[in-house]
Amino acid sequence: PRQIWVTTKDGTKTKTEVDEKQVAVYSAKYAKKAKRDREAVIAKARDLISNPAKYKRATSYGAAKYVKNLVYDQKTGEIISQGKKLVFDENKLLEEEKFDGYYVVVTNECKKSDSEILSIYKGLWQIEDAFRVSKSDLKARPVYLSREDRIQAHFLTCFVALVIARLLAKRLDNEYSVARIASSLNEMSYSFVQQNIYVGNYADEITIALKEKLNLDLDRKFMTYGDIRHTIARTKRPAPRVS
């Protein structure tokens, strides 16, 4: 049982009691993701300590929580020195790492089983995440269109892109976010060198993984025009059926 404040129809607040169920879950994959997502923030925090002049309050967001003795100028937002050396907060990091992989679902659906609650939560999370990815990574919003047919075409394009991105993420065992996959693919390009030779300008772990999973030569350093056309053509072939 838990007591909560409820606003009634006439606007007054009253305290009432509801039954609450908490389902705690641990996931090794979620723990790895939390650690992977934190690595960039930790690197930024250490760089902030080494080069405080590069940062202000706005640009140090996220990394600042790992830095002790951090003081900002109230007007400019610049980092100022008060005679204390900036130090990485190891205790803060250890405290956060203790909870990697854990999450808790809180619900008033007390009669449902743990597995049912987790299934419902997963479905809601997938819907919310789909809207987040569509808006941020696939630029679904804002919409600079006025005609209804063009607005519908815009969102259709975005949701088709979302389906393709989700399928790619699934083929990569969900090790990488849609944002990281899209960023890697956007960076990929080949530049003309001489005669019929093109040189690859970008490759990373995602392009290598896509090569292994989809059997596409996405990380070759040199390609001919024919090789490039062949690779593009292979992406348009239907996937083999699995019996």
Side-chain angles (χ1 to χ4, degrees):
R2 177 178 178 181
Q3 288 191 332
I4 61 172
W5 287 97
V6 177
T7 303
T8 59
K9 290 182 179 180
D10 60 5
T12 60
K13 290 187 176 182
T14 181
K15 192 175 275 189
T16 185
E17 190 175 87
V18 296
D19 289 331
E20 179 182 277
K21 181 173 183 175
Q22 301 175 354
V23 183
V25 182
Y26 175 81
S27 165
K29 184 179 289 187
Y30 185 49
K32 290 180 181 178
K33 182 181 183 303
K35 184 175 182 179
R36 187 168 59 244
D37 292 345
R38 193 186 295 113
E39 286 175 353
V41 181
I42 293 173
K44 182 179 177 181
R46 297 192 186 280
D47 185 57
L48 188 156
I49 293 170
S50 301
N51 307 283
K54 289 171 52 179
Y55 296 88
K56 292 186 177 182
R57 183 189 293 273
T59 55
S60 62
Y61 180 79
K65 64 180 178 179
Y66 294 115
V67 182
K68 289 182 177 181
N69 306 323
L70 196 59
V71 181
Y72 299 100
D73 185 293
Q74 294 298 320
K75 293 182 179 179
T76 65
E78 294 179 342
I79 298 173
I80 57 177
S81 174
Q82 291 189 330
K84 293 183 178 180
K85 184 179 179 181
L86 298 182
V87 180
F88 187 83
D89 194 341
E90 296 287 352
N91 291 331
K92 176 71 174 178
L93 176 59
L94 291 173
E95 183 66 20
E96 287 193 350
E97 287 179 336
K98 287 196 307 185
F99 302 102
D100 284 356
Y102 291 97
Y103 60 95
V104 179
V105 180
V106 180
T107 179
N108 64 346
E109 296 286 354
C110 299
K111 293 183 179 179
K112 293 188 181 297
S113 67
D114 294 352
S115 58
E116 286 178 308
I117 290 170
L118 293 177
S119 178
I120 293 170
Y121 172 77
K122 184 178 181 181
L124 292 173
W125 176 83
Q126 288 175 334
I127 293 170
E128 291 175 0
D129 190 57
F131 280 109
R132 180 191 62 77
V133 169
S134 299
K135 183 178 179 181
S136 59
D137 301 322
L138 303 180
K139 312 300 183 196
R141 301 289 297 271
V143 181
Y144 300 103
L145 300 166
S146 56
R147 277 177 40 181
E148 183 178 349
D149 60 337
R150 291 180 177 177
I151 293 172
Q152 290 179 353
H154 169 74
F155 282 108
L156 175 61
T157 303
C158 290
F159 283 115
V160 169
L162 176 64
V163 171
I164 294 171
R166 288 293 191 208
L167 289 173
L168 279 175
K170 188 173 182 180
R171 290 294 294 271
L172 296 177
D173 300 322
N174 293 313
E175 289 290 329
Y176 309 99
S177 66
V178 169
R180 286 196 64 193
I181 295 172
S183 176
S184 291
L185 293 179
N186 284 333
E187 291 289 337
M188 282 188 61
S189 65
Y190 277 82
S191 299
F192 177 75
V193 180
Q194 60 181 1
Q195 295 179 342
N196 191 30
I197 304 298
Y198 293 78
V199 61
N201 299 319
Y202 183 82
D204 62 11
E205 58 181 327
I206 293 179
T207 61
I208 294 172
L210 284 171
K211 174 189 176 182
E212 295 173 352
K213 297 290 184 178
L214 303 181
N215 195 25
L216 294 173
D217 290 332
L218 299 180
D219 66 335
R220 284 176 58 181
K221 186 64 177 176
F222 297 98
M223 296 181 77
T224 65
Y225 181 66
D227 294 332
I228 294 173
R229 291 191 62 183
H230 177 69
T231 300
I232 294 173
R234 290 195 61 191
T235 66
K236 298 178 181 180
R237 295 175 188 171
R241 294 189 177 185
V242 179
S243 57

